[in-house]
Amino acid sequence: MPELPEVETIRGQLEERLVGRVIGRVAVDDALLVAPAAVTAFARGLRGRTVTAVRRRGKYLLVDLDAGPPLALHLRMTGRLLWFPGRPDPDVTHVRARFDLGGGGTLVFADMRRFGRAWRLPEGLPDEEAYWAGRVGVEPLGDGFTAAALGGLLAGRRGPVKPLLLNQAVVAGIGNIYADEALFQARVHPLRPAGSLDRDEVRRLHRAIRDRLRAAVAAGGSSIDRYRDANGDRGGMQDLLRVHRREGRPCVRCGATVVKTRVGGRGTYLCPGCQAPPA
DNA sequence: ATTTTCCCCTGCCGGC
DNA sequence: TGCCGGCAGGGGAAAA
């Protein structure tokens, strides 16, 4: 479900509400959420800790604490983090964990498909980036993500470009929606071998990735189906998508009919008029 | 080494 | 109406 813009939206909302607050009772309603660490150790270790920051790395949310390693959260496909200033809404379904905060309020982790996870980063990490190395690549909205850097990541790769964009170890935070949207904006076909993009195509793709991610953050993310922000509200980006989930509708750029295909096992939308297939 | 595929789960939708 | 396959914003392990 949530990609970088959705996680970033939630991050900002939780930062406002959690920083400086003390975690109280932690109730894990679904042990699968916390595997493999022991549920009781997880809950006990959080109680009494003060939240000092809420960060994002790729699609991971990180809650920094006054002692011990950060709390890590990943929403995967259908996870939600819902903030309730008072008692949680009893109508919320698929509740996996509840974090009470001192002074009132509860953070609820709900997740229909149960793919989401919560855990503590390892103790005594000298450098957190060492934990992410090989697992999460460059931040596409960070200073390190230049057109030249993207070119370096694509160079020599014979596989199709879309799965490479979805590979979190290469670029962090791009998911199926924004991969389709960025490739469409850049007029690059998702099946093009990554290393075959010329300099101008790399430049366009770099610009498109940042532009679409920024637009989505500004819009509060895409609520195609399950996604809700920390207030339980829908985002606005789903109405601004140009190709994703627009099968059979006219391309906003050239009028050709948007088609749906399958690339790397993922449903993929593209405009056959704008995005020329590989030779 | 890099690239598919299978799997983890639940719910929904379309086809028969 | 009911059953069944297919699909879904993700990612890790196993297999090729």
Side-chain angles (χ1 to χ4, degrees), chain A residues 13-25 46-54 63-67 83-87 99-107:
Chain A
Q13 293 172 329
L14 294 186
E15 178 176 60
E16 290 178 25
R17 291 162 175 79
L18 299 185
V19 170
R21 308 285 297 280
V22 178
I23 299 175
R25 188 182 68 110
L46 290 172
R47 185 172 192 134
R49 298 276 61 79
T50 298
V51 175
T52 58
V54 182
V63 180
D64 284 337
L65 306 169
D66 62 332
W83 171 252
F84 296 97
R87 304 307 311 164
F99 306 82
D100 288 346
L101 274 293
T106 300
L107 180 66

PDB file of all heavy atoms in Angstrom, chain A residues 13-25 46-54 63-67 83-87 99-107:
ATOM      1  N   GLN A  13       2.695  13.627  10.293  1.00  0.00           N
ATOM      2  CA  GLN A  13       1.572  13.707  11.237  1.00  0.00           C
ATOM      3  C   GLN A  13       1.951  13.118  12.597  1.00  0.00           C
ATOM      4  O   GLN A  13       1.580  13.661  13.638  1.00  0.00           O
ATOM      5  CB  GLN A  13       0.372  12.968  10.654  1.00  0.00           C
ATOM      6  CG  GLN A  13      -0.201  13.651   9.414  1.00  0.00           C
ATOM      7  CD  GLN A  13      -1.267  12.826   8.734  1.00  0.00           C
ATOM      8  OE1 GLN A  13      -1.240  11.600   8.767  1.00  0.00           O
ATOM      9  NE2 GLN A  13      -2.219  13.503   8.102  1.00  0.00           N
ATOM     10  N   LEU A  14       2.701  12.031  12.573  1.00  0.00           N
ATOM     11  CA  LEU A  14       3.079  11.406  13.845  1.00  0.00           C
ATOM     12  C   LEU A  14       4.145  12.221  14.555  1.00  0.00           C
ATOM     13  O   LEU A  14       4.178  12.273  15.787  1.00  0.00           O
ATOM     14  CB  LEU A  14       3.573   9.973  13.602  1.00  0.00           C
ATOM     15  CG  LEU A  14       2.508   9.002  13.088  1.00  0.00           C
ATOM     16  CD1 LEU A  14       3.082   7.595  13.023  1.00  0.00           C
ATOM     17  CD2 LEU A  14       1.264   9.036  13.967  1.00  0.00           C
ATOM     18  N   GLU A  15       5.008  12.856  13.779  1.00  0.00           N
ATOM     19  CA  GLU A  15       6.035  13.709  14.397  1.00  0.00           C
ATOM     20  C   GLU A  15       5.371  14.782  15.262  1.00  0.00           C
ATOM     21  O   GLU A  15       5.762  15.020  16.406  1.00  0.00           O
ATOM     22  CB  GLU A  15       6.877  14.345  13.296  1.00  0.00           C
ATOM     23  CG  GLU A  15       7.950  15.288  13.785  1.00  0.00           C
ATOM     24  CD  GLU A  15       8.795  15.793  12.627  1.00  0.00           C
ATOM     25  OE1 GLU A  15       8.221  16.422  11.715  1.00  0.00           O
ATOM     26  OE2 GLU A  15      10.001  15.565  12.638  1.00  0.00           O
ATOM     27  N   GLU A  16       4.348  15.424  14.699  1.00  0.00           N
ATOM     28  CA  GLU A  16       3.641  16.469  15.451  1.00  0.00           C
ATOM     29  C   GLU A  16       3.044  15.942  16.744  1.00  0.00           C
ATOM     30  O   GLU A  16       3.000  16.633  17.751  1.00  0.00           O
ATOM     31  CB  GLU A  16       2.494  17.036  14.612  1.00  0.00           C
ATOM     32  CG  GLU A  16       2.914  17.875  13.436  1.00  0.00           C
ATOM     33  CD  GLU A  16       1.687  18.345  12.650  1.00  0.00           C
ATOM     34  OE1 GLU A  16       0.593  18.432  13.253  1.00  0.00           O
ATOM     35  OE2 GLU A  16       1.834  18.596  11.436  1.00  0.00           O
ATOM     36  N   ARG A  17       2.546  14.707  16.694  1.00  0.00           N
ATOM     37  CA  ARG A  17       1.770  14.195  17.816  1.00  0.00           C
ATOM     38  C   ARG A  17       2.588  13.417  18.830  1.00  0.00           C
ATOM     39  O   ARG A  17       2.189  13.305  19.996  1.00  0.00           O
ATOM     40  CB  ARG A  17       0.636  13.305  17.297  1.00  0.00           C
ATOM     41  CG  ARG A  17      -0.433  14.090  16.564  1.00  0.00           C
ATOM     42  CD  ARG A  17      -1.279  13.170  15.711  1.00  0.00           C
ATOM     43  NE  ARG A  17      -2.377  13.887  15.081  1.00  0.00           N
ATOM     44  CZ  ARG A  17      -2.247  14.642  14.001  1.00  0.00           C
ATOM     45  NH1 ARG A  17      -1.061  14.796  13.447  1.00  0.00           N
ATOM     46  NH2 ARG A  17      -3.294  15.264  13.503  1.00  0.00           N
ATOM     47  N   LEU A  18       3.701  12.838  18.405  1.00  0.00           N
ATOM     48  CA  LEU A  18       4.408  11.905  19.288  1.00  0.00           C
ATOM     49  C   LEU A  18       5.673  12.456  19.927  1.00  0.00           C
ATOM     50  O   LEU A  18       6.042  12.027  21.029  1.00  0.00           O
ATOM     51  CB  LEU A  18       4.766  10.624  18.524  1.00  0.00           C
ATOM     52  CG  LEU A  18       3.606   9.812  17.948  1.00  0.00           C
ATOM     53  CD1 LEU A  18       4.120   8.527  17.331  1.00  0.00           C
ATOM     54  CD2 LEU A  18       2.555   9.516  19.019  1.00  0.00           C
ATOM     55  N   VAL A  19       6.352  13.376  19.259  1.00  0.00           N
ATOM     56  CA  VAL A  19       7.642  13.823  19.787  1.00  0.00           C
ATOM     57  C   VAL A  19       7.452  14.496  21.150  1.00  0.00           C
ATOM     58  O   VAL A  19       6.592  15.367  21.307  1.00  0.00           O
ATOM     59  CB  VAL A  19       8.347  14.777  18.804  1.00  0.00           C
ATOM     60  CG1 VAL A  19       9.574  15.424  19.457  1.00  0.00           C
ATOM     61  CG2 VAL A  19       8.756  14.020  17.549  1.00  0.00           C
ATOM     62  N   GLY A  20       8.237  14.054  22.102  1.00  0.00           N
ATOM     63  CA  GLY A  20       8.152  14.575  23.458  1.00  0.00           C
ATOM     64  C   GLY A  20       7.193  13.799  24.344  1.00  0.00           C
ATOM     65  O   GLY A  20       7.163  14.024  25.559  1.00  0.00           O
ATOM     66  N   ARG A  21       6.452  12.883  23.730  1.00  0.00           N
ATOM     67  CA  ARG A  21       5.495  12.111  24.514  1.00  0.00           C
ATOM     68  C   ARG A  21       6.137  10.817  25.021  1.00  0.00           C
ATOM     69  O   ARG A  21       7.056  10.280  24.417  1.00  0.00           O
ATOM     70  CB  ARG A  21       4.274  11.764  23.661  1.00  0.00           C
ATOM     71  CG  ARG A  21       3.625  12.957  22.970  1.00  0.00           C
ATOM     72  CD  ARG A  21       2.833  13.820  23.933  1.00  0.00           C
ATOM     73  NE  ARG A  21       1.718  13.103  24.524  1.00  0.00           N
ATOM     74  CZ  ARG A  21       0.543  12.892  23.906  1.00  0.00           C
ATOM     75  NH1 ARG A  21       0.355  13.320  22.674  1.00  0.00           N
ATOM     76  NH2 ARG A  21      -0.419  12.257  24.525  1.00  0.00           N
ATOM     77  N   VAL A  22       5.577  10.309  26.114  1.00  0.00           N
ATOM     78  CA  VAL A  22       6.074   9.074  26.724  1.00  0.00           C
ATOM     79  C   VAL A  22       5.141   7.916  26.356  1.00  0.00           C
ATOM     80  O   VAL A  22       3.920   8.036  26.452  1.00  0.00           O
ATOM     81  CB  VAL A  22       6.157   9.210  28.258  1.00  0.00           C
ATOM     82  CG1 VAL A  22       6.641   7.901  28.890  1.00  0.00           C
ATOM     83  CG2 VAL A  22       7.086  10.363  28.633  1.00  0.00           C
ATOM     84  N   ILE A  23       5.734   6.820  25.910  1.00  0.00           N
ATOM     85  CA  ILE A  23       4.939   5.640  25.568  1.00  0.00           C
ATOM     86  C   ILE A  23       4.483   4.952  26.841  1.00  0.00           C
ATOM     87  O   ILE A  23       5.274   4.739  27.766  1.00  0.00           O
ATOM     88  CB  ILE A  23       5.767   4.666  24.698  1.00  0.00           C
ATOM     89  CG1 ILE A  23       6.184   5.360  23.394  1.00  0.00           C
ATOM     90  CG2 ILE A  23       4.963   3.392  24.406  1.00  0.00           C
ATOM     91  CD1 ILE A  23       7.106   4.520  22.519  1.00  0.00           C
ATOM     92  N   GLY A  24       3.208   4.633  26.884  1.00  0.00           N
ATOM     93  CA  GLY A  24       2.661   3.912  28.030  1.00  0.00           C
ATOM     94  C   GLY A  24       2.458   2.447  27.704  1.00  0.00           C
ATOM     95  O   GLY A  24       3.352   1.781  27.177  1.00  0.00           O
ATOM     96  N   ARG A  25       1.259   1.969  27.926  1.00  0.00           N
ATOM     97  CA  ARG A  25       0.970   0.557  27.686  1.00  0.00           C
ATOM     98  C   ARG A  25       1.035   0.247  26.189  1.00  0.00           C
ATOM     99  O   ARG A  25       0.536   1.016  25.366  1.00  0.00           O
ATOM    100  CB  ARG A  25      -0.428   0.228  28.208  1.00  0.00           C
ATOM    101  CG  ARG A  25      -0.775  -1.255  28.198  1.00  0.00           C
ATOM    102  CD  ARG A  25      -2.208  -1.468  28.688  1.00  0.00           C
ATOM    103  NE  ARG A  25      -3.167  -0.930  27.731  1.00  0.00           N
ATOM    104  CZ  ARG A  25      -3.975  -1.700  26.977  1.00  0.00           C
ATOM    105  NH1 ARG A  25      -3.912  -3.005  27.081  1.00  0.00           N
ATOM    106  NH2 ARG A  25      -4.822  -1.146  26.144  1.00  0.00           N
ATOM    107  N   LEU A  46       9.336  -0.860  25.185  1.00  0.00           N
ATOM    108  CA  LEU A  46       8.882   0.458  24.717  1.00  0.00           C
ATOM    109  C   LEU A  46       8.287   1.292  25.834  1.00  0.00           C
ATOM    110  O   LEU A  46       8.353   2.521  25.818  1.00  0.00           O
ATOM    111  CB  LEU A  46       7.844   0.286  23.597  1.00  0.00           C
ATOM    112  CG  LEU A  46       8.377  -0.249  22.268  1.00  0.00           C
ATOM    113  CD1 LEU A  46       7.220  -0.549  21.320  1.00  0.00           C
ATOM    114  CD2 LEU A  46       9.340   0.748  21.631  1.00  0.00           C
ATOM    115  N   ARG A  47       7.718   0.631  26.806  1.00  0.00           N
ATOM    116  CA  ARG A  47       7.013   1.341  27.874  1.00  0.00           C
ATOM    117  C   ARG A  47       7.958   2.258  28.652  1.00  0.00           C
ATOM    118  O   ARG A  47       9.041   1.851  29.038  1.00  0.00           O
ATOM    119  CB  ARG A  47       6.379   0.326  28.828  1.00  0.00           C
ATOM    120  CG  ARG A  47       5.539   0.998  29.884  1.00  0.00           C
ATOM    121  CD  ARG A  47       4.747  -0.013  30.710  1.00  0.00           C
ATOM    122  NE  ARG A  47       3.752   0.691  31.512  1.00  0.00           N
ATOM    123  CZ  ARG A  47       2.489   0.324  31.626  1.00  0.00           C
ATOM    124  NH1 ARG A  47       2.079  -0.757  31.015  1.00  0.00           N
ATOM    125  NH2 ARG A  47       1.652   1.020  32.360  1.00  0.00           N
ATOM    126  N   GLY A  48       7.521   3.503  28.821  1.00  0.00           N
ATOM    127  CA  GLY A  48       8.334   4.456  29.572  1.00  0.00           C
ATOM    128  C   GLY A  48       9.319   5.247  28.718  1.00  0.00           C
ATOM    129  O   GLY A  48       9.932   6.197  29.198  1.00  0.00           O
ATOM    130  N   ARG A  49       9.486   4.882  27.480  1.00  0.00           N
ATOM    131  CA  ARG A  49      10.408   5.577  26.592  1.00  0.00           C
ATOM    132  C   ARG A  49       9.756   6.865  26.061  1.00  0.00           C
ATOM    133  O   ARG A  49       8.558   6.902  25.795  1.00  0.00           O
ATOM    134  CB  ARG A  49      10.807   4.685  25.411  1.00  0.00           C
ATOM    135  CG  ARG A  49      11.543   3.420  25.786  1.00  0.00           C
ATOM    136  CD  ARG A  49      13.055   3.659  25.976  1.00  0.00           C
ATOM    137  NE  ARG A  49      13.352   4.599  27.030  1.00  0.00           N
ATOM    138  CZ  ARG A  49      13.339   4.279  28.339  1.00  0.00           C
ATOM    139  NH1 ARG A  49      13.035   3.077  28.741  1.00  0.00           N
ATOM    140  NH2 ARG A  49      13.633   5.187  29.236  1.00  0.00           N
ATOM    141  N   THR A  50      10.575   7.885  25.922  1.00  0.00           N
ATOM    142  CA  THR A  50      10.115   9.149  25.349  1.00  0.00           C
ATOM    143  C   THR A  50      10.467   9.205  23.864  1.00  0.00           C
ATOM    144  O   THR A  50      11.588   8.871  23.481  1.00  0.00           O
ATOM    145  CB  THR A  50      10.777  10.341  26.073  1.00  0.00           C
ATOM    146  OG1 THR A  50      10.399  10.320  27.452  1.00  0.00           O
ATOM    147  CG2 THR A  50      10.339  11.665  25.451  1.00  0.00           C
ATOM    148  N   VAL A  51       9.519   9.609  23.042  1.00  0.00           N
ATOM    149  CA  VAL A  51       9.764   9.733  21.602  1.00  0.00           C
ATOM    150  C   VAL A  51      10.540  11.017  21.339  1.00  0.00           C
ATOM    151  O   VAL A  51      10.137  12.098  21.763  1.00  0.00           O
ATOM    152  CB  VAL A  51       8.427   9.755  20.830  1.00  0.00           C
ATOM    153  CG1 VAL A  51       8.678  10.011  19.344  1.00  0.00           C
ATOM    154  CG2 VAL A  51       7.678   8.443  21.037  1.00  0.00           C
ATOM    155  N   THR A  52      11.672  10.887  20.655  1.00  0.00           N
ATOM    156  CA  THR A  52      12.503  12.068  20.386  1.00  0.00           C
ATOM    157  C   THR A  52      12.432  12.513  18.930  1.00  0.00           C
ATOM    158  O   THR A  52      12.746  13.667  18.627  1.00  0.00           O
ATOM    159  CB  THR A  52      13.975  11.794  20.750  1.00  0.00           C
ATOM    160  OG1 THR A  52      14.444  10.662  19.998  1.00  0.00           O
ATOM    161  CG2 THR A  52      14.108  11.491  22.247  1.00  0.00           C
ATOM    162  N   ALA A  53      12.037  11.633  18.030  1.00  0.00           N
ATOM    163  CA  ALA A  53      11.923  12.006  16.610  1.00  0.00           C
ATOM    164  C   ALA A  53      11.149  10.920  15.875  1.00  0.00           C
ATOM    165  O   ALA A  53      11.078   9.779  16.339  1.00  0.00           O
ATOM    166  CB  ALA A  53      13.309  12.186  15.974  1.00  0.00           C
ATOM    167  N   VAL A  54      10.565  11.302  14.747  1.00  0.00           N
ATOM    168  CA  VAL A  54       9.934  10.323  13.854  1.00  0.00           C
ATOM    169  C   VAL A  54      10.546  10.530  12.481  1.00  0.00           C
ATOM    170  O   VAL A  54      10.425  11.608  11.896  1.00  0.00           O
ATOM    171  CB  VAL A  54       8.405  10.487  13.802  1.00  0.00           C
ATOM    172  CG1 VAL A  54       7.783   9.419  12.899  1.00  0.00           C
ATOM    173  CG2 VAL A  54       7.799  10.408  15.197  1.00  0.00           C
ATOM    174  N   VAL A  63      10.871   5.438  14.747  1.00  0.00           N
ATOM    175  CA  VAL A  63      10.533   6.254  15.909  1.00  0.00           C
ATOM    176  C   VAL A  63      11.734   6.231  16.843  1.00  0.00           C
ATOM    177  O   VAL A  63      12.044   5.198  17.450  1.00  0.00           O
ATOM    178  CB  VAL A  63       9.275   5.706  16.616  1.00  0.00           C
ATOM    179  CG1 VAL A  63       8.928   6.567  17.823  1.00  0.00           C
ATOM    180  CG2 VAL A  63       8.102   5.637  15.642  1.00  0.00           C
ATOM    181  N   ASP A  64      12.423   7.372  16.932  1.00  0.00           N
ATOM    182  CA  ASP A  64      13.584   7.460  17.823  1.00  0.00           C
ATOM    183  C   ASP A  64      13.115   7.624  19.259  1.00  0.00           C
ATOM    184  O   ASP A  64      12.149   8.340  19.532  1.00  0.00           O
ATOM    185  CB  ASP A  64      14.454   8.662  17.429  1.00  0.00           C
ATOM    186  CG  ASP A  64      15.271   8.390  16.181  1.00  0.00           C
ATOM    187  OD1 ASP A  64      15.518   7.202  15.882  1.00  0.00           O
ATOM    188  OD2 ASP A  64      15.667   9.363  15.518  1.00  0.00           O
ATOM    189  N   LEU A  65      13.845   6.984  20.162  1.00  0.00           N
ATOM    190  CA  LEU A  65      13.480   6.987  21.579  1.00  0.00           C
ATOM    191  C   LEU A  65      14.636   7.518  22.417  1.00  0.00           C
ATOM    192  O   LEU A  65      15.777   7.570  21.944  1.00  0.00           O
ATOM    193  CB  LEU A  65      13.106   5.563  22.008  1.00  0.00           C
ATOM    194  CG  LEU A  65      12.025   4.911  21.131  1.00  0.00           C
ATOM    195  CD1 LEU A  65      11.905   3.425  21.427  1.00  0.00           C
ATOM    196  CD2 LEU A  65      10.689   5.618  21.322  1.00  0.00           C
ATOM    197  N   ASP A  66      14.331   7.904  23.642  1.00  0.00           N
ATOM    198  CA  ASP A  66      15.374   8.491  24.494  1.00  0.00           C
ATOM    199  C   ASP A  66      16.389   7.459  24.953  1.00  0.00           C
ATOM    200  O   ASP A  66      17.468   7.818  25.421  1.00  0.00           O
ATOM    201  CB  ASP A  66      14.739   9.194  25.698  1.00  0.00           C
ATOM    202  CG  ASP A  66      13.968   8.220  26.587  1.00  0.00           C
ATOM    203  OD1 ASP A  66      13.475   7.200  26.066  1.00  0.00           O
ATOM    204  OD2 ASP A  66      13.865   8.481  27.793  1.00  0.00           O
ATOM    205  N   ALA A  67      16.065   6.196  24.831  1.00  0.00           N
ATOM    206  CA  ALA A  67      17.019   5.139  25.184  1.00  0.00           C
ATOM    207  C   ALA A  67      16.724   3.915  24.336  1.00  0.00           C
ATOM    208  O   ALA A  67      15.569   3.625  24.032  1.00  0.00           O
ATOM    209  CB  ALA A  67      16.922   4.782  26.669  1.00  0.00           C
ATOM    210  N   TRP A  83      -3.950   7.697  14.469  1.00  0.00           N
ATOM    211  CA  TRP A  83      -3.807   8.403  15.741  1.00  0.00           C
ATOM    212  C   TRP A  83      -5.176   8.806  16.272  1.00  0.00           C
ATOM    213  O   TRP A  83      -5.982   9.397  15.544  1.00  0.00           O
ATOM    214  CB  TRP A  83      -2.940   9.649  15.562  1.00  0.00           C
ATOM    215  CG  TRP A  83      -2.957  10.513  16.784  1.00  0.00           C
ATOM    216  CD1 TRP A  83      -3.574  11.704  16.934  1.00  0.00           C
ATOM    217  CD2 TRP A  83      -2.308  10.224  18.024  1.00  0.00           C
ATOM    218  NE1 TRP A  83      -3.379  12.180  18.202  1.00  0.00           N
ATOM    219  CE2 TRP A  83      -2.603  11.294  18.903  1.00  0.00           C
ATOM    220  CE3 TRP A  83      -1.526   9.169  18.503  1.00  0.00           C
ATOM    221  CZ2 TRP A  83      -2.129  11.337  20.204  1.00  0.00           C
ATOM    222  CZ3 TRP A  83      -1.056   9.216  19.809  1.00  0.00           C
ATOM    223  CH2 TRP A  83      -1.355  10.296  20.642  1.00  0.00           C
ATOM    224  N   PHE A  84      -5.393   8.484  17.534  1.00  0.00           N
ATOM    225  CA  PHE A  84      -6.630   8.879  18.203  1.00  0.00           C
ATOM    226  C   PHE A  84      -6.274   9.727  19.418  1.00  0.00           C
ATOM    227  O   PHE A  84      -5.566   9.252  20.307  1.00  0.00           O
ATOM    228  CB  PHE A  84      -7.420   7.637  18.623  1.00  0.00           C
ATOM    229  CG  PHE A  84      -7.885   6.817  17.455  1.00  0.00           C
ATOM    230  CD1 PHE A  84      -7.158   5.703  17.031  1.00  0.00           C
ATOM    231  CD2 PHE A  84      -9.021   7.170  16.741  1.00  0.00           C
ATOM    232  CE1 PHE A  84      -7.562   4.956  15.936  1.00  0.00           C
ATOM    233  CE2 PHE A  84      -9.431   6.425  15.638  1.00  0.00           C
ATOM    234  CZ  PHE A  84      -8.701   5.320  15.243  1.00  0.00           C
ATOM    235  N   PRO A  85      -6.745  10.968  19.456  1.00  0.00           N
ATOM    236  CA  PRO A  85      -6.421  11.852  20.584  1.00  0.00           C
ATOM    237  C   PRO A  85      -6.982  11.322  21.902  1.00  0.00           C
ATOM    238  O   PRO A  85      -6.401  11.563  22.954  1.00  0.00           O
ATOM    239  CB  PRO A  85      -7.096  13.176  20.216  1.00  0.00           C
ATOM    240  CG  PRO A  85      -7.481  13.061  18.791  1.00  0.00           C
ATOM    241  CD  PRO A  85      -7.602  11.612  18.457  1.00  0.00           C
ATOM    242  N   GLY A  86      -8.095  10.603  21.807  1.00  0.00           N
ATOM    243  CA  GLY A  86      -8.675  10.017  23.019  1.00  0.00           C
ATOM    244  C   GLY A  86      -8.648   8.509  22.932  1.00  0.00           C
ATOM    245  O   GLY A  86      -7.630   7.915  22.609  1.00  0.00           O
ATOM    246  N   ARG A  87      -9.782   7.892  23.171  1.00  0.00           N
ATOM    247  CA  ARG A  87      -9.878   6.445  23.047  1.00  0.00           C
ATOM    248  C   ARG A  87      -9.953   6.077  21.570  1.00  0.00           C
ATOM    249  O   ARG A  87     -10.576   6.799  20.787  1.00  0.00           O
ATOM    250  CB  ARG A  87     -11.128   5.908  23.761  1.00  0.00           C
ATOM    251  CG  ARG A  87     -11.210   6.296  25.235  1.00  0.00           C
ATOM    252  CD  ARG A  87      -9.965   5.936  26.001  1.00  0.00           C
ATOM    253  NE  ARG A  87      -9.504   4.556  25.781  1.00  0.00           N
ATOM    254  CZ  ARG A  87      -8.297   4.117  26.087  1.00  0.00           C
ATOM    255  NH1 ARG A  87      -7.405   4.938  26.608  1.00  0.00           N
ATOM    256  NH2 ARG A  87      -7.962   2.878  25.866  1.00  0.00           N
ATOM    257  N   PHE A  99      -0.589   1.519  20.916  1.00  0.00           N
ATOM    258  CA  PHE A  99       0.437   2.177  21.716  1.00  0.00           C
ATOM    259  C   PHE A  99      -0.215   3.355  22.437  1.00  0.00           C
ATOM    260  O   PHE A  99      -0.560   4.354  21.801  1.00  0.00           O
ATOM    261  CB  PHE A  99       1.580   2.690  20.831  1.00  0.00           C
ATOM    262  CG  PHE A  99       2.198   1.650  19.938  1.00  0.00           C
ATOM    263  CD1 PHE A  99       1.617   1.291  18.716  1.00  0.00           C
ATOM    264  CD2 PHE A  99       3.392   1.016  20.304  1.00  0.00           C
ATOM    265  CE1 PHE A  99       2.197   0.332  17.888  1.00  0.00           C
ATOM    266  CE2 PHE A  99       3.975   0.055  19.473  1.00  0.00           C
ATOM    267  CZ  PHE A  99       3.375  -0.290  18.263  1.00  0.00           C
ATOM    268  N   ASP A 100      -0.364   3.242  23.745  1.00  0.00           N
ATOM    269  CA  ASP A 100      -0.907   4.361  24.508  1.00  0.00           C
ATOM    270  C   ASP A 100       0.197   5.380  24.771  1.00  0.00           C
ATOM    271  O   ASP A 100       1.344   5.015  25.028  1.00  0.00           O
ATOM    272  CB  ASP A 100      -1.471   3.863  25.842  1.00  0.00           C
ATOM    273  CG  ASP A 100      -2.760   3.075  25.658  1.00  0.00           C
ATOM    274  OD1 ASP A 100      -3.342   3.150  24.547  1.00  0.00           O
ATOM    275  OD2 ASP A 100      -3.175   2.394  26.604  1.00  0.00           O
ATOM    276  N   LEU A 101      -0.177   6.667  24.716  1.00  0.00           N
ATOM    277  CA  LEU A 101       0.801   7.723  24.973  1.00  0.00           C
ATOM    278  C   LEU A 101       0.442   8.466  26.256  1.00  0.00           C
ATOM    279  O   LEU A 101      -0.747   8.725  26.514  1.00  0.00           O
ATOM    280  CB  LEU A 101       0.838   8.725  23.803  1.00  0.00           C
ATOM    281  CG  LEU A 101       1.741   8.378  22.622  1.00  0.00           C
ATOM    282  CD1 LEU A 101       3.215   8.412  23.051  1.00  0.00           C
ATOM    283  CD2 LEU A 101       1.429   7.019  22.008  1.00  0.00           C
ATOM    284  N   GLY A 102       1.470   8.787  27.042  1.00  0.00           N
ATOM    285  CA  GLY A 102       1.237   9.536  28.273  1.00  0.00           C
ATOM    286  C   GLY A 102       0.550  10.854  27.970  1.00  0.00           C
ATOM    287  O   GLY A 102       0.896  11.529  27.011  1.00  0.00           O
ATOM    288  N   GLY A 103      -0.420  11.224  28.800  1.00  0.00           N
ATOM    289  CA  GLY A 103      -1.160  12.452  28.566  1.00  0.00           C
ATOM    290  C   GLY A 103      -2.373  12.253  27.674  1.00  0.00           C
ATOM    291  O   GLY A 103      -3.087  13.205  27.378  1.00  0.00           O
ATOM    292  N   GLY A 104      -2.574  11.015  27.235  1.00  0.00           N
ATOM    293  CA  GLY A 104      -3.754  10.711  26.427  1.00  0.00           C
ATOM    294  C   GLY A 104      -3.425  10.496  24.974  1.00  0.00           C
ATOM    295  O   GLY A 104      -2.456  11.046  24.448  1.00  0.00           O
ATOM    296  N   GLY A 105      -4.231   9.699  24.344  1.00  0.00           N
ATOM    297  CA  GLY A 105      -4.027   9.414  22.931  1.00  0.00           C
ATOM    298  C   GLY A 105      -3.467   8.020  22.720  1.00  0.00           C
ATOM    299  O   GLY A 105      -2.746   7.483  23.564  1.00  0.00           O
ATOM    300  N   THR A 106      -3.838   7.438  21.598  1.00  0.00           N
ATOM    301  CA  THR A 106      -3.392   6.088  21.267  1.00  0.00           C
ATOM    302  C   THR A 106      -3.052   6.004  19.783  1.00  0.00           C
ATOM    303  O   THR A 106      -3.800   6.501  18.935  1.00  0.00           O
ATOM    304  CB  THR A 106      -4.503   5.059  21.586  1.00  0.00           C
ATOM    305  OG1 THR A 106      -4.811   5.110  22.976  1.00  0.00           O
ATOM    306  CG2 THR A 106      -4.063   3.652  21.206  1.00  0.00           C
ATOM    307  N   LEU A 107      -1.915   5.379  19.491  1.00  0.00           N
ATOM    308  CA  LEU A 107      -1.538   5.070  18.119  1.00  0.00           C
ATOM    309  C   LEU A 107      -1.928   3.622  17.842  1.00  0.00           C
ATOM    310  O   LEU A 107      -1.510   2.716  18.566  1.00  0.00           O
ATOM    311  CB  LEU A 107      -0.033   5.263  17.923  1.00  0.00           C
ATOM    312  CG  LEU A 107       0.498   4.967  16.524  1.00  0.00           C
ATOM    313  CD1 LEU A 107      -0.052   5.960  15.506  1.00  0.00           C
ATOM    314  CD2 LEU A 107       2.023   4.972  16.522  1.00  0.00           C
TER     315      LEU A 107
END
